[in-house]
Structures are given as C-alpha cells and as structure tokens.
Amino acid sequence: MSESLVVCDVDEDLVKKLKEFRFRKETNNAAIIMKIDKDKQLVILEEEHEDISPDDLKDELPERQPRFIVYSYKYQHDDGRVSYPLCFIFSSPVGKELCLGCRPEQQMMYAGSKNKLVQTVQLTKVFEIRNTEDLTEEWLREKLGFFR
C-alpha cells in the first residue's frame, strides 16, 4: 500500500507573480493566497490582497481546507527599524470535524508540494498553522522574533 506522494507543479504565471511580489516596492502588508488544483496537480493563485492585516488575512482562509500564503509584512523592530519580511505560511487545518472538506489525499498533495513551492519562491521564513484562528499579529511577530 505504498501510495506515492504527489508533488504538484507551480503554475508558470504564479511563479512570475511571486517573483514580482518578492521585489515589490509598496510598504503595506500584502498577501498572495494559493491553492492546489487537484485535477491539474498544479499550485495556482486563489486571491491577492493589498493592505491586509494578519487578522483580516485569517478571515480570508478557508477553515477546513489547506492553503499556501506568501505574506509581505511591515515589521517594526524594537529599536525602531522597519523591515518587510516575506513569510511563507502553510495553513493546514486538522481535527475530526475537518473530514468534511479535506480528504487525506488532499492533505498529502499540499504537504508534498509545500517544499517545492518554498524552493520555487526561495523563502526562509516558513511557518505552519493548524487553525486559522492562530493567525494573528501577535503570533506572526513572535515567529519573526526568531529571525532578528
């Protein structure tokens, strides 16, 4: 019963969009939300958001289905400096009630494709949440605190 792990390709247009996003000049928070098209076995763009807080971002995520997010966050350091780290967030909900919308093969497709997507986008700040409610400003600042 050895099922091979499905690793999805990343849509070409999405790769271009992510590269542009990486070098954006805007100083607001912004996000690209991605999902897997399981028929095409392709990571595709779902939504883009400008000027979105972590709290607003969590409201955009489905509670019962995984998503990949690349998030540009305006980070105010304790010493007054400002940086704009690019974070990769894998929203991977778990729990008994989640059986409704997220089948194991879908979870496996996301898990198997995560590293390929991270490598494609060349990100180092990679975080995972199991519950969309965990995505808060406080959580993100705590995670980014390790990269000082």
Side-chain angles (χ1 to χ4, degrees):
M1 190 175 140
S2 64
E3 283 189 59
S4 60
L5 189 61
V6 176
V7 178
C8 299
D9 285 321
V10 183
D11 180 67
E12 299 272 329
D13 292 336
L14 179 58
V15 171
K16 286 182 201 139
K17 186 171 285 298
L18 289 166
K19 286 189 172 140
E20 290 168 12
F21 189 74
R22 184 183 183 109
F23 297 108
R24 64 196 285 280
K25 302 290 184 237
E26 293 85 354
T27 57
N28 59 349
N29 295 343
I32 291 179
I33 300 174
M34 297 156 282
K35 66 180 183 180
I36 288 180
D37 178 330
K38 66 178 190 284
D39 296 331
K40 294 180 182 171
Q41 294 190 350
L42 203 61
V43 179
I44 60 170
L45 174 70
E46 182 173 51
E47 298 176 319
E48 289 180 83
H49 297 278
E50 285 289 330
D51 205 18
I52 186 167
S53 71
D55 291 311
D56 290 339
L57 179 59
K58 81 174 164 207
D59 295 338
E60 297 295 327
L61 298 174
E63 287 180 29
R64 292 184 170 86
Q65 294 187 343
R67 287 296 182 267
F68 300 122
I69 304 109
V70 175
Y71 189 50
S72 177
Y73 176 67
K74 184 176 182 178
Y75 183 61
Q76 184 88 35
H77 296 266
D78 295 337
D79 62 8
R81 291 178 301 121
V82 176
S83 62
Y84 301 92
L86 216 49
C87 309
F88 182 92
I89 302 169
F90 177 32
S91 173
S92 175
V94 294
K96 288 189 268 309
E97 74 283 359
L98 301 177
C99 300
L100 304 169
C102 190
R103 294 185 303 282
E105 65 266 22
Q106 184 186 24
Q107 285 279 30
M108 287 174 57
M109 284 176 94
Y110 275 87
S113 303
K114 179 184 127 189
N115 288 342
K116 180 169 187 165
L117 185 55
V118 168
Q119 289 169 350
T120 301
V121 189
Q122 300 176 325
L123 294 178
T124 55
K125 294 168 182 66
V126 179
F127 311 124
E128 190 165 332
I129 56 172
R130 294 296 195 172
N131 180 340
T132 55
E133 290 302 308
D134 294 342
L135 182 56
T136 62
E137 187 109 23
E138 184 181 335
W139 174 85
L140 188 58
R141 290 188 61 78
E142 182 182 308
K143 291 291 187 187
L144 289 169
F146 295 109
F147 289 94
R148 285 172 215 219

